[in-house]
């Protein structure tokens, strides 16, 4: 009995010692690009959270090969436009921990060589389509939603739910394999840190629970993000940057969110208010577009305001577009995302002319835009105009 008790005490002590020698881990599960529609997830909130954690290192959701080329998934706004710049500005080491299949494996399994390249024109939503948000939770979840019990159970259920036919199980199996390798890469990072360190992982919420379970089994202490407390409004205000504002305005007012009438008015108005007395022509455009989207002005009033603005425009450029492939006319959320600011105003003029059934004026604006595009972009533009410019 005494011998067994001694063995148990020894095991407990050795386990505690092992835990004490290892760095702590914080895994913030995020929704990709929800930072642009959810007030609680906005980029400033992400930065404020990182500032609370004060991590020794940050692991991000990109594979090492792509990260070395500064190549990111087009839809992971939180990575390339919030986490990575903040880490670099504050000299926090970054570690890419994602895994992606080779082109050979991708083609074998899905019939597509590169899973990041969209078709000639994107679908309205879904895989390689436009990124849109429609669920109430997308707009209202707090920053720590991924650690909530109901969310954890829902994701765990997806992990274990096999389709009726094995032939359809590749996405689930590859997701689990990918998440397992993410956890192994995170473990490599942890092994190079000491017990004094806290390593932060910012990754898609679907991955969080499985990664945590893997790391727990290796003796690592997991600290839930909520342990650091909620970020205050003042902390968010302090971390707000102009690019946040332009990104929020662009995603809500120019992209598919406005098309499907799912715009976060509170977040849009917060972004506009944060610009203060800024009088840029780009911001003036967004103010007009806001009034159109929220039906504060008529098409006739919009035409007048757009025309006045157009007459002042020179070679001003967008602050942010979300465009990754500049050979295309779209971005991951906006069918017309790669138009210049001047051509976008023409497009909005055309939109209002079409509403008023002024077909001659509508076609005149479209012809001018088309005259500056190559045949590839022109074909894409005209498809999207017929589908989405209304």
């Amino acid at each position: 009995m005494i011998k067994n008790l001694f063995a148990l005490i020894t095991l407990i002590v050795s386990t505690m010692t092992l835990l004490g020698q290892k760095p702590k881990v914080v895994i913030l599960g995020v929704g990709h690009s929800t930072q642009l529609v959810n007030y609680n997830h906005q980029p400033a909130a992400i930065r404020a959270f990182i500032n609370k954690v004060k991590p020794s290192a940050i692991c991000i959701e990109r594979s090492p090969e792509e990260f070395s080329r500064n190549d990111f998934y087009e839809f992971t706004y939180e990575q390339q436009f919030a986490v990575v710049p903040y880490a670099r500005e504050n000299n926090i080491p970054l570690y890419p921990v994602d895994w992606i299949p080779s082109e050979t494996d991708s083609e074998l399994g899905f019939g597509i060589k590169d899973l990041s390249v969209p078709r000639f024109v994107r679908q309205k939503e879904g895989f390689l389509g436009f990124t849109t948000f429609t669920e109430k939770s997308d707009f209202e979840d707090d920053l720590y939603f991924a650690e909530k019990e109901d969310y954890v159970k829902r994701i765990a259920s997806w992990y274990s739910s096999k389709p009726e036919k094995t032939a359809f199980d590749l996405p689930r199996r590859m997701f689990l394999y990918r998440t397992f390798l993410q956890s192994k890469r995170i473990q490599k990072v942890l092994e190079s840190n000491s017990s004094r360190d806290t390593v932060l992982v910012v990754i898609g919420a679907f991955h969080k629970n499985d990664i945590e379970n893997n790391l727990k089994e290796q003796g690592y202490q997991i600290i839930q993000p909520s342990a650091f407390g909620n970020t205050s409004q003042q902390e968010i205000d302090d971390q707000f940057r102009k690019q946040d504002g332009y990104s929020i305005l662009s995603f809500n007012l120019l992209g598919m969110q406005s098309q499907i009438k799912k715009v976060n008015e509170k977040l849009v108005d917060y972004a506009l208010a944060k610009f203060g007395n800024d009088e840029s022509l780009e911001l003036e455009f967004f103010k007009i577009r806001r009034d159109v989207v929220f039906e504060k002005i008529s098409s006739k009033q919009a035409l007048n305001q757009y025309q006045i603005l157009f007459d002042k425009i020179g070679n001003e450029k967008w602050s942010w577009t979300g465009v990754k492939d500049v050979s295309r006319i779209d971005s991951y959320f906006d069918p017309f995302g790669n138009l210049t600011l001047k051509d976008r105003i023409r497009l909005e003029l055309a939109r209002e002319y079409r509403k008023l059934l002024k077909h001659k004026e509508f076609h005149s604006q479209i012809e001018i835009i088309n005259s500056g595009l190559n045949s590839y972009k022109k074909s894409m533009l005209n498809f999207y105009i017929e589908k989405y410019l209304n």
Side-chain angles (χ1 to χ4, degrees):
M1 179 70 178
I2 295 175
K3 184 178 180 181
N4 290 340
L5 181 61
F6 179 76
L8 178 61
I9 292 171
T10 302
L11 178 62
I12 292 172
V13 170
S14 62
T15 301
M16 292 180 68
T17 302
L18 186 63
L19 284 170
Q21 292 174 345
K22 294 187 174 186
K24 296 175 284 294
V25 191
V26 180
I27 301 180
L28 180 67
V30 297
H32 299 312
S33 286
T34 56
Q35 299 73 35
L36 304 178
V37 297
N38 186 318
Y39 192 92
N40 304 314
H41 295 190
Q42 63 177 287
I46 298 286
R47 287 190 287 268
F49 174 74
I50 298 173
N51 194 46
K52 281 178 175 289
V53 177
K54 297 184 173 23
S56 305
I58 301 177
C59 297
I60 60 168
E61 190 174 350
R62 198 54 171 138
S63 63
E65 297 81 3
E66 280 67 29
F67 181 71
S68 68
R69 302 195 299 268
N70 202 35
D71 179 352
F72 294 88
Y73 300 113
E74 60 182 355
F75 51 83
T76 52
Y77 184 92
E78 75 287 344
Q79 305 285 340
Q80 58 261 45
F81 296 111
V83 177
V84 170
Y86 183 88
R88 287 172 173 165
E89 290 163 12
N90 291 277
N91 298 313
I92 304 172
L94 284 163
Y95 295 91
V97 297
D98 201 8
W99 172 87
I100 57 174
S102 68
E103 287 191 356
T104 301
D105 290 339
S106 176
E107 186 173 28
L108 182 64
F110 296 101
I112 304 172
K113 271 191 174 183
D114 191 337
L115 294 173
S116 67
V117 177
R119 295 176 180 177
F120 171 63
V121 289
R122 299 178 194 251
Q123 298 297 312
K124 188 174 182 179
E125 58 188 12
F127 180 62
L128 295 182
F130 290 109
T131 295
T132 57
F133 298 100
T134 59
E135 300 299 320
K136 185 179 180 182
S137 58
D138 295 331
F139 297 85
E140 298 182 2
D141 273 346
D142 67 27
L143 190 60
Y144 308 138
F145 73 98
E147 67 183 68
K148 303 288 174 62
E149 185 178 357
D150 60 337
Y151 185 85
V152 172
K153 285 181 177 178
R154 182 153 51 90
I155 300 308
S157 174
W158 184 86
Y159 285 156
S160 59
S161 297
K162 298 179 182 180
E164 289 184 8
K165 293 186 177 181
T166 304
F168 299 149
D169 202 25
L170 179 59
R172 186 188 70 91
R173 292 184 183 196
M174 191 175 78
F175 186 88
L176 290 171
Y177 181 69
R178 175 186 172 198
T179 302
F180 179 78
L181 290 183
Q182 287 171 345
S183 72
K184 299 302 285 186
R185 281 183 165 158
I186 293 168
Q187 189 175 338
K188 286 291 185 184
V189 176
L190 294 171
E191 288 170 358
S192 65
N193 283 266
S194 73
S195 59
R196 297 186 304 275
D197 297 322
T198 298
V199 174
L200 172 63
V201 180
V202 182
I203 203 160
F206 261 53
H207 302 287
K208 174 180 164 70
N209 187 46
D210 206 36
I211 291 174
E212 287 181 343
N213 289 337
N214 281 321
L215 294 178
K216 283 177 186 175
E217 290 174 2
Q218 302 305 315
Y220 290 99
Q221 179 186 358
I222 307 296
I223 301 177
Q224 291 302 333
S226 60
F228 294 89
N230 293 324
T231 52
S232 69
Q233 186 59 56
Q234 186 59 57
E235 288 172 320
I236 292 174
D237 289 342
D238 290 345
Q239 291 293 341
F240 185 89
R241 299 177 183 178
K242 277 191 175 183
Q243 182 179 284
D244 300 348
Y246 282 120
S247 302
I248 288 165
L249 295 175
S250 183
F251 195 90
N252 281 272
L253 301 178
L254 302 187
M256 291 298 292
Q257 291 301 133
S258 60
Q259 175 74 23
I260 63 176
K261 301 187 183 302
K262 290 285 186 178
V263 173
N264 189 329
E265 187 172 3
K266 175 186 176 182
L267 186 56
V268 165
D269 288 348
Y270 172 75
L272 285 171
K274 290 297 288 182
F275 281 103
N277 296 322
D278 191 314
E279 297 181 353
S280 72
L281 297 181
E282 180 184 13
L283 190 58
E284 189 176 337
F285 167 74
F286 278 121
K287 289 178 179 178
I288 300 171
R289 179 63 183 153
R290 179 209 177 276
D291 287 346
V292 171
V293 169
F294 294 121
E295 300 179 349
K296 303 293 184 182
I297 58 175
S298 66
S299 288
K300 187 175 180 180
Q301 290 172 310
L303 281 168
N304 182 56
Q305 292 180 34
Y306 280 137
Q307 190 60 60
I308 292 171
L309 177 61
F310 183 84
D311 292 340
K312 294 189 285 185
I313 286 285
N315 295 316
E316 286 83 2
K317 299 183 185 302
W318 297 106
S319 296
W320 183 80
T321 63
V323 173
K324 180 176 180 179
D325 183 352
V326 295
S327 72
R328 299 179 63 88
I329 204 69
D330 58 10
S331 71
Y332 75 99
F333 65 89
D334 181 2
F336 313 107
N338 202 20
L339 288 176
T340 64
L341 179 54
K342 193 164 190 174
D343 277 346
R344 185 58 186 241
I345 298 173
R346 283 194 187 280
L347 187 78
E348 297 306 328
L349 284 166
R351 189 197 303 269
E352 301 309 320
Y353 280 131
R354 176 176 259 186
K355 289 179 186 177
L356 295 172
L357 304 180
K358 293 189 174 183
H359 302 298
K360 181 180 178 182
E361 291 86 347
F362 163 77
H363 287 295
S364 175
Q365 296 296 332
I366 299 304
E367 285 175 12
I368 295 172
I369 298 172
N370 274 326
S371 67
L373 302 176
N374 60 35
S375 58
Y376 180 69
K377 285 184 176 179
K378 193 184 301 182
S379 297
M380 200 178 298
L381 174 70
N382 291 326
F383 175 88
Y384 286 143
I385 284 173
E386 292 311 307
K387 197 167 180 66
Y388 300 122
L389 195 70
N390 49 42

